Amino acid sequence: MQVVITGTPGTGKSSVARELEGWNVIDLKTFIEEQDIGSVNGGEIEVRVEKLVDRLEEEFRDSEENLVIEGHLSHHYEADYCIVLRCEPDTLRERLSGRNYDRQKADENVEAESLDIILQEAIQQQENIIEIDTTGREAKEVAEEVIERIENEETGYGEIDWSEFL
Ligand code: ADP
Ligand code: MN
């Protein structure tokens, strides 16, 4: 089984992935550095998406293990399930300010989240999407929902609407 966890920076991808037991978790920042296919400065990753996807295909397409790939570009790799984590924009801003993002970068991410940018991209490339709102929840609880919804094949998205924050 191959799963990707995507979402705007700060939605909780790494925290949720950390709570998944028995899965081989690949964090894309580390993968990009190890493969030497781009640069990571601060929270910002610079990499060509095509190159990243090619390298992921080479590395993982034939893998039989339970794999989770997490990162805000992970939805470009076609997986059995694509988890899209969401966070209410005001809460996202608080989470991002906690990790000393500058104002402009925080604004960009809050706007991207309000516009469903990552969800819209994911819809273009993934068959099975599971969208989860992490606002006011613990990472552990979200991780349990991820597992439960995969087991029950309970996909779905589109219930979340942050447009009032625009
Ligand atoms: P990402 O990897 O998506 O950029 P992180 O996992 O680094 O996000 O989480 C960003 C912040 O959000 C962390 O400080 C984390 O503790 C916090 N957080 C709060 N609630 C949750 C939740 N329900 N799920 C995941 N992270 C959460
Ligand atoms: Mn992360």
Side-chain angles (χ1 to χ4, degrees):
M1 170 88 69
Q2 301 194 345
V3 174
V4 294
I5 303 181
T6 190
T8 308
T11 49
K13 302 175 293 294
S14 302
S15 309
V16 170
R18 223 173 283 131
E19 300 292 340
L20 296 170
E21 280 165 33
W23 292 76
N24 181 16
V25 176
I26 308 298
D27 129 52
L28 278 190
K29 268 185 215 148
T30 308
F31 182 80
I32 288 163
E33 285 179 315
E34 282 174 359
Q35 298 281 322
D36 202 19
I37 51 172
S39 58
V40 181
N41 33 52
E44 204 80 350
I45 305 178
E46 282 166 38
V47 65
R48 269 185 43 229
V49 173
E50 300 78 23
K51 189 163 197 170
L52 173 62
V53 173
D54 283 353
R55 203 55 72 87
L56 287 169
E57 291 286 344
E58 284 166 23
E59 202 75 22
F60 300 116
R61 184 52 69 199
D62 299 329
S63 167
E64 297 286 336
E65 66 185 341
N66 283 335
L67 191 70
V68 168
I69 300 174
E70 69 97 348
H72 72 275
L73 296 173
S74 65
H75 54 279
H76 295 286
Y77 177 81
E78 208 180 307
D80 297 308
Y81 289 94
C82 174
I83 313 300
V84 182
L85 297 184
R86 306 300 305 270
C87 180
E88 189 253 281
D90 288 341
T91 307
L92 185 68
R93 184 177 292 285
E94 284 167 27
R95 288 189 193 176
L96 292 173
S97 69
R99 48 153 85 149
N100 59 39
Y101 262 37
D102 63 42
R103 179 63 198 255
Q104 190 196 337
K105 234 168 87 184
D107 284 347
E108 282 169 16
N109 284 315
V110 167
E111 184 177 67
E113 179 61 15
S114 306
L115 289 167
D116 307 332
I117 301 281
I118 293 209
L119 175 68
Q120 295 305 330
E121 288 180 7
I123 291 168
Q124 312 287 316
Q125 359 215 352
Q126 303 280 340
E127 193 80 20
N128 298 313
I129 293 181
I130 296 175
E131 186 183 32
I132 302 178
D133 185 0
T134 68
T135 314
R137 302 177 69 191
E138 296 289 333
K140 175 104 195 145
E141 194 188 329
V142 174
E144 282 163 8
E145 181 175 341
V146 167
I147 296 305
E148 206 173 284
R149 288 183 61 178
I150 289 172
E151 281 173 356
N152 298 330
E153 301 178 30
E154 193 188 333
T155 56
Y157 61 85
E159 303 280 298
I160 294 167
D161 179 4
W162 304 141
S163 56
E164 65 181 285
F165 292 90
L166 287 168

